Amino acid sequence: MHDSDCALECPIFFVGMPRSGTSIIFAGFAAHQDLSWFSQVMDRFPSLPALATLGRVTSLIPTTRQTVSRHTDVQSGLARLKLGPSEGYAIWSRCCDEKFLFEYLLDIRASPAERHCVRQRVHTTMRCHGKKRFAAKLTGPGRIGFLSSIFARPLFINIVRDPRAVVDSLLRVPFWRDTFRYSDPAWKGGLSAEDIADWKRSGTPEALASVQWRAVLRTTREEARAVGDRYIELRYEDFIARPHDELGRLYAFAGLPPDPAASAFVDQRLGLRDLTSEWRRRLSASQLETIEAIAMPISIGLGYETSLP
């Protein structure tokens, strides 16, 4: 197998629940000189895959790569070009329709047409971007089985975060708070009878978000059994505490060499902030009780401790 074929067959996928730190970790990882990705401008114009060529600009002028948008940010003119990494959901839905956005896709495999479309887009992106490998970030369900039916040896990095921090953030961000996700499941086909019962018991938004955090982690781990050592997990809190160490571990897992430019990008552009305990002052006692009753049995195994007596 030629090196180019191997590169196409071994994309790197970051997965994890929304508000788990996937965006900032992926932004640091994607700064590697060998990586291509779907950009924000490609996501705006999914019918024009050749726009991936603009990704070359980000290698020459790092300020064109917008990382994580915050309402307090003042973007430069170059940053407004939106050339940085994106989840590319308009591209995924164009190839695989809206089920890719709104379903767990458990036990579902890509059709020949979907497989061809995705592979062609990834190949075009790598070629136009002038890079050796492709990486992507996809929040929500892991979609590991579906993606493994498209590529021969994809790698998966699951970003996990304290469920109390995740739920606290979800309840406040517009894409969750101001949409159907606040009162109905964000994705179809993944909640168990136990999940539904735990949600219905209180019927609160925090209960719904908590059971989805649990279901996404559970189903992602179940799917990961089929890919063996091509799956690892990274805690958001560990990345915030040791960004360069964890970035090095991720590159080693992906078979990528160290990249000083990526390390410099982490220091100069990511603007890492320790927000790991903000939930302690924002969540009420009743909300904490609900979240911990649902999520802590599994999250304790990740090293998170209960805050309740």
Side-chain angles (χ1 to χ4, degrees):
M1 181 177 287
H2 296 295
D3 288 344
S4 59
D5 294 331
C6 180
L8 179 62
E9 298 298 350
C10 309
I12 307 145
F13 292 104
F14 279 65
V15 299
M17 190 70 177
R19 313 308 294 175
S20 292
T22 54
S23 293
I24 201 161
I25 296 173
F26 183 69
F29 183 87
H32 195 285
Q33 61 184 349
D34 291 340
L35 291 177
S36 63
W37 19 261
F38 293 147
S39 68
Q40 294 162 303
V41 69
M42 291 173 65
D43 198 35
R44 289 180 60 193
F45 304 100
S47 63
L48 301 174
L51 286 174
T53 304
L54 293 174
R56 294 174 182 258
V57 177
T58 64
S59 298
L60 300 173
I61 311 174
T63 54
T64 60
R65 186 203 304 263
Q66 176 68 11
T67 56
V68 180
S69 296
R70 300 186 177 98
H71 71 279
T72 55
D73 288 346
V74 177
Q75 297 183 13
S76 69
L78 291 174
R80 294 192 188 98
L81 294 175
K82 303 294 186 183
L83 302 182
S86 165
E87 290 178 339
Y89 279 133
I91 299 169
W92 289 103
S93 62
R94 187 178 181 88
C95 285
C96 306
D97 73 47
E98 288 196 343
K99 71 176 183 293
F100 194 88
L101 280 64
F102 300 115
E103 298 182 18
Y104 277 77
L105 300 180
L106 302 176
D107 300 319
I108 295 177
R109 300 297 177 262
S111 69
E114 290 169 339
R115 185 176 186 272
H116 174 75
C117 181
V118 173
R119 290 173 63 88
Q120 186 177 55
R121 287 306 179 92
V122 170
H123 175 73
T124 299
T125 300
M126 292 168 57
R127 177 173 54 80
C128 291
H129 204 167
K131 303 295 183 178
K132 300 176 182 178
R133 298 281 296 278
F134 176 81
K137 175 180 82 79
L138 298 166
T139 53
R143 308 172 181 90
I144 289 177
F146 187 86
L147 293 167
S148 295
S149 70
I150 297 175
F151 304 99
R153 296 188 304 283
L155 305 177
F156 297 92
I157 298 169
N158 186 13
I159 307 300
V160 294
R161 186 183 185 185
D162 189 315
R164 293 160 296 197
V166 173
V167 172
D168 170 55
S169 184
L170 287 173
L171 297 183
R172 294 182 300 106
V173 292
F175 79 82
W176 194 276
R177 180 197 63 209
D178 300 337
T179 70
F180 74 93
R181 300 177 183 90
Y182 199 73
S183 55
D184 289 297
W187 308 278
K188 299 177 182 178
L191 296 186
S192 67
E194 179 185 5
D195 293 329
I196 294 173
D198 286 344
W199 165 34
K200 296 294 186 180
R201 187 169 295 114
S202 67
T204 59
E206 57 266 23
L208 177 57
S210 298
V211 298
Q212 290 182 101
W213 180 92
R214 184 175 69 185
V216 164
L217 179 58
R218 181 186 67 243
T219 56
T220 298
R221 284 177 162 179
E222 289 171 352
E223 286 198 291
R225 293 172 188 160
V227 302
D229 61 2
R230 288 187 283 108
Y231 169 91
I232 61 170
E233 293 179 356
L234 168 63
R235 297 196 329 162
Y236 164 79
E237 294 83 2
D238 294 336
F239 181 83
I240 293 298
R242 302 178 299 276
H244 294 291
D245 290 344
E246 295 301 333
L247 195 62
R249 182 169 74 94
L250 296 183
Y251 287 150
F253 167 73
L256 294 167
D259 185 358
S263 296
F265 181 84
V266 169
D267 289 334
Q268 299 167 12
R269 295 283 295 155
L270 278 192
L272 296 179
R273 294 186 291 179
D274 188 352
L275 303 176
T276 55
S277 298
E278 291 291 292
W279 56 268
R280 293 182 183 276
R281 65 179 180 82
R282 287 197 290 245
L283 293 172
S284 68
S286 62
Q287 287 177 315
L288 274 175
E289 184 176 3
T290 296
I291 297 167
E292 295 200 3
I294 293 170
M296 288 313 290
I298 186 171
S299 63
I300 286 175
L302 291 165
Y304 301 116
E305 298 180 354
T306 181
S307 65
L308 300 175

